[in-house]
Amino acid sequence: MDIICTVMTGMKQENPGGTVYDAIRRNIKKYRKERGMTSAQLAEQVGLSHDFIRQIESEKARYNFSVETFCKIGAALGVSLDLLIQESPEKE
């Protein structure tokens, strides 16, 4: 429950990587690329627009998304939500 609350409020984590949203953004892009998916393919699988997925992945747009969207993306990528939240040492 704490993770969901942190995701929903965008509170800062205790790391230089920024908010939990920033870690999720990087991880969505990382796992999408690892699976050889385009952002358009991911968008189709989760029922969102291609532009919306691009905004989610963008460090500049900094668009915050719902927990429901987060869950759908995790399922489409076949990645557990805890992996999508983890801060990785390298930044993409």
Side-chain angles (χ1 to χ4, degrees):
M1 187 64 156
D2 290 336
I3 290 173
I4 291 173
C5 291
T6 301
V7 170
M8 293 178 70
T9 61
M11 292 170 42
K12 292 259 184 203
Q13 289 181 324
E14 295 298 322
N15 64 57
T19 68
V20 114
Y21 281 105
D22 295 325
I24 293 169
R25 273 181 240 292
R26 286 188 291 272
N27 287 327
I28 288 171
K29 190 172 188 177
K30 171 186 158 187
Y31 288 112
R32 177 181 59 74
K33 286 183 173 187
E34 281 181 6
R35 281 146 181 76
M37 294 175 74
T38 65
S39 54
Q41 290 169 323
L42 177 58
E44 186 175 323
Q45 283 193 7
V46 296
L48 299 169
S49 73
H50 175 228
D51 198 41
F52 189 78
I53 294 295
R54 288 179 50 218
Q55 287 177 351
I56 288 173
E57 289 183 352
S58 171
E59 293 290 330
K60 293 179 182 174
R62 303 193 60 84
Y63 185 83
N64 294 336
F65 41 88
S66 71
V67 173
E68 180 181 4
T69 297
F70 173 60
C71 292
K72 286 180 181 180
I73 291 171
L77 293 173
V79 177
S80 66
L81 302 182
D82 62 325
L83 287 178
L84 286 180
I85 291 173
Q86 286 182 359
E87 183 65 39
S88 59
E90 76 279 348
K91 294 187 181 171
E92 310 261 331

